[in-house]
Amino acid sequence: MKINRTASAAWSGGLKDGKGSISTESGALSTYPYGFAARFEGKKGTNPEELLGAAHAGCFTMALSLILGEAKLTAEQMDTTAKVTLEQVDGGYAITAVHLTLRAKIPGADQKTFEELAGKAKAGCPLSKVIKADITLDAKLV
């Protein structure tokens, strides 16, 4: 099976004074603003790293749901945060790390088994496979 999803970006102007917008096929984002100030100066708007973090957190959590099901476990609640690090390196900027923080309620799971299953999800989710950065995970049952 092959699945294609589409997102788009529009931009006008220079790097610092320009304005951009991001849209997704689903309509979840529709001409949502992004730009230099949102990316590098903490101003309102989104940025590629934040979007990647949302996608990675969602992908990882969904992958873990599959892996838990294979182990005959079902999550009552899972909350994942992805902290994406953008750093200046030789020749420009690079995403150097993604740190996933997961807090979960999973009846019948012990911490050791949970960490093993979460590690499998971290390694196996499609976004983890495409990100060429150090991906770390802090997974705790609550």
Side-chain angles (χ1 to χ4, degrees):
M1 174 173 21
K2 184 177 186 178
I3 299 170
N4 294 305
R5 300 286 184 235
T6 304
S8 61
W11 188 268
S12 62
L15 174 63
K16 289 192 177 183
D17 66 345
K19 292 188 178 356
S21 65
I22 294 174
S23 298
T24 58
E25 178 181 2
S26 69
L29 296 175
S30 180
T31 62
Y32 197 84
Y34 84 106
F36 184 89
R39 192 172 194 185
F40 295 104
E41 298 171 355
K43 303 289 185 200
K44 188 171 169 37
T46 192
N47 56 73
E49 293 73 34
E50 176 183 71
L51 295 169
L52 177 71
H56 197 187
C59 182
F60 162 77
T61 307
M62 189 178 277
L64 181 53
S65 178
L66 168 71
I67 290 168
L68 287 169
E70 291 169 348
K72 307 289 189 246
L73 295 167
T74 302
E76 183 178 309
Q77 181 68 38
M78 293 191 286
D79 297 295
T80 304
T81 303
K83 180 178 178 182
V84 177
T85 302
L86 178 69
E87 286 187 279
Q88 193 163 11
V89 296
D90 292 339
Y93 283 85
I95 293 172
T96 57
V98 177
H99 180 71
L100 300 169
T101 301
L102 167 65
R103 298 297 176 261
K105 280 187 182 178
I106 303 169
D110 62 82
Q111 184 65 32
K112 183 176 184 294
T113 301
F114 173 66
E115 286 176 11
E116 288 172 12
L117 298 175
K120 282 184 184 178
K122 178 183 77 93
C125 103
L127 275 165
S128 290
K129 292 176 182 179
V130 79
I131 297 170
K132 306 251 188 281
D134 181 34
I135 302 170
T136 55
L137 171 64
D138 172 18
K140 289 193 175 62
L141 291 171
V142 293

